[in-house]
Amino acid sequence: MTDSLDYAATVLRRCDELAAFSEDEGRLTRRFASPALRAAGEAVREWMEAAGMTVRRDAIGNLIGRSGDANRRTLLIGSHLDTVRDAGRFDGALGVLIGIACAELLRDLPYAIEVVAFADEEGARYGTSYLGSRAFVGCFDEEWLERRDADGVAMRTALGRFGGSPDAIAGCRRDPADLMGYYEVHIEQGPTLESQDVALGVVTAIAGQTRATITFSGVAGHAGTVAMSLRRDALTAAAEWIIATETLARETDGLVATVGQLTLDPGVGNVIPGRATLTLDLRHAEDPVRIRAGEELRRCAEAIAASRELAVEWRSHATPAVGLSPKLTEQLAEAVAATGQPVVRLPSGAGHDAAIVSTIAPAAMLFVRCAGGVSHNPAESVTVQDVAAAIDATTRFLELAA
Ligand code: GLV
Ligand code: MN
Ligand code: MN
């Protein structure tokens, strides 16, 4: 445990150091393909090299450190380096840094370890989640390269400036032939572990999610001269739909729906909004419930648009719910028990790269308690003791996996 505590202190210090790589002054924002993400990646590369790893960056910007090169079997350990806007410092980074710490601690495993720092999990810049892991498993949709961020920068352009290769994304696909599995440590981002007074949780499943971008298009006009009965106001249509969305989620057990972004055009105080573009994040542990809700919300948007004589456009993509590998999850539970910690199993409402990588390799995940269950918020926090417990459980898991 002394070793784990030392390594945990290093991991937390590195989380602090990474938090300084931000697009925004005074708060942590590190979105896909930003200079801040590039700089964070360079720091992580140095730590990987210091841990004895050979490091490469793929075409989408995932950073991959490998140790134990002579071995033919490989275990992936990963998480992401991008963040939401005004983020906490542990979401994603903790898993990458624990992976590096454990690879350094266990240099003579009979298999290779590849620590993967994914370039985009959050989707904060382009509204497309998991760009990094999707490229890694070979299911990246090349049409996304033409998407634009809020400043009008196309993903293709941003990726080129970042040092990536938009035309070579197919080459990011990791051949699964030698893969034993994928393992991810992540903060829980919810209150279950804290409420049960335990440091660690073994994840059983990851909820599915639908992400949609919805645009209501009406007619911009003069705020002082267009009578209320003649208006085709895109924002009031969006507002009606947002309330309908909240109502459906409140009335459907286990369904959560969030509109996290709303952009108005022209966005001027004395102009009736001509266009309102908003995002929907819709999640449920059971795919049929989420899919039905998504269809209902789409019909609802169309009905609202028709009744107000507007047009509506709906673009969405989905990630199905994922059950984690029973075999690896049992080994992880055994590893947690061997550290003297109680074994608590729980599903994840948050999305994780494990959901995507599980399509090419069996996956397991360990949660670390975070204070108050707070996440996607600068108040995110973990203790050095809990991180040491996670390192302890992870090293035992890696030994068991042999
Ligand atoms: C990732 O943080 C997610 O949106 O679940
Ligand atoms: Mn997150
Ligand atoms: Mn995350």
Side-chain angles (χ1 to χ4, degrees):
M1 189 76 175
T2 317
D3 256 7
S4 333
L5 265 176
D6 286 347
Y7 275 90
T10 302
V11 164
L12 293 188
R13 199 183 59 246
R14 289 175 174 177
C15 286
D16 291 345
E17 283 179 44
L18 288 184
F21 298 114
S22 175
E23 296 169 55
D24 293 342
E25 185 81 31
R27 62 180 191 171
L28 172 54
T29 303
R30 199 166 57 229
R31 296 170 308 156
F32 173 61
S34 61
L37 185 68
R38 177 86 203 185
E42 287 313 307
V44 170
R45 174 191 286 274
E46 282 179 25
W47 296 328
M48 284 174 163
E49 284 171 353
M53 309 184 115
T54 311
V55 186
R56 68 184 174 90
R57 185 188 291 276
D58 70 10
I60 191 89
N62 298 323
L63 200 64
I64 301 157
R66 183 176 170 91
S67 64
D69 229 358
N71 294 289
R72 285 198 306 272
R73 295 179 310 145
T74 305
L75 185 81
L76 301 170
I77 304 179
S79 201
H80 57 101
L81 285 186
D82 67 312
T83 74
V84 294
R85 181 171 283 133
D86 200 12
R89 60 191 57 191
F90 303 105
D91 176 357
L94 184 73
V96 173
L97 297 175
I98 287 182
I100 296 171
C102 291
E104 186 167 358
L105 261 163
L106 300 177
R107 284 179 186 242
D108 49 5
L109 287 167
Y111 57 85
I113 286 185
E114 256 173 50
V115 175
V116 190
F118 290 109
D120 173 88
E121 180 259 14
E122 305 284 7
R125 184 163 181 183
Y126 289 101
T128 45
S129 52
Y130 304 119
L131 294 175
S133 44
R134 284 187 204 276
F136 192 76
V137 306
C139 73
F140 182 92
D141 182 345
E142 304 260 337
E143 281 183 15
W144 288 337
L145 288 167
E146 310 315 324
R147 279 193 171 230
R148 292 182 183 273
D149 68 7
D151 298 320
V153 181
M155 190 188 296
R156 173 184 296 282
T157 310
L159 184 54
R161 288 181 192 152
F162 181 64
S165 308
D167 294 322
I169 287 181
C172 298
R173 182 183 167 276
R174 176 66 163 83
D175 180 353
D178 64 319
L179 294 182
M180 300 159 60
Y182 172 83
Y183 174 70
E184 180 165 356
V185 181
H186 203 284
I187 55 166
E188 183 203 343
Q189 308 182 278
T192 305
L193 297 177
E194 192 175 68
S195 70
Q196 297 190 25
D197 199 19
V198 291
L200 305 177
V202 176
V203 183
T204 53
I206 300 172
Q209 51 177 277
T210 298
R211 301 247 188 141
T213 304
I214 301 119
T215 303
F216 288 95
S217 299
V219 179
H222 198 291
T225 60
V226 182
M228 294 309 288
S229 60
L230 297 177
R231 292 185 181 210
R232 291 160 69 194
D233 182 330
L235 177 57
T236 48
E240 190 180 334
W241 181 79
I242 291 169
I243 296 299
T245 299
E246 185 189 44
T247 305
L248 179 68
R250 280 182 191 268
E251 290 173 354
T252 309
D253 197 26
L255 185 71
V256 286
T258 307
V259 175
Q261 217 174 37
L262 172 63
T263 314
L264 299 181
D265 189 44
V268 176
N270 61 352
V271 181
I272 300 161
R275 194 161 55 220
T277 302
L278 56 160
T279 57
L280 169 69
D281 178 314
L282 188 66
R283 307 191 192 199
H284 196 278
E286 289 165 34
D287 288 338
V289 179
R290 174 181 50 80
I291 291 166
R292 262 198 313 277
E295 288 165 354
E296 186 170 336
L297 290 175
R298 184 172 184 160
R299 280 194 300 275
C300 173
E302 287 164 356
I304 290 169
S307 75
R308 291 171 171 270
E309 294 182 56
L310 309 181
V312 64
E313 187 198 10
W314 180 287
R315 281 196 303 173
S316 65
H317 66 280
T319 311
V322 163
L324 296 175
S325 153
K327 178 170 165 235
L328 290 186
T329 299
E330 271 327 296
Q331 281 177 352
L332 181 57
E334 209 180 304
V336 169
T339 67
Q341 301 274 339
V343 176
V344 171
R345 296 166 204 263
L346 72 173
S348 174
H352 299 289
D353 295 297
I356 302 297
V357 186
S358 70
T359 60
I360 62 161
M365 275 196 82
L366 182 71
F367 272 168
V368 181
R369 163 172 59 189
C370 60
V374 173
S375 184
H376 284 186
N377 184 305
E380 243 172 39
S381 100
V382 293
T383 66
V384 70
Q385 288 81 9
D386 287 359
V387 172
I391 290 174
D392 236 13
T394 298
T395 51
R396 285 175 197 254
F397 170 70
L398 296 180
E399 283 162 352
L400 281 175

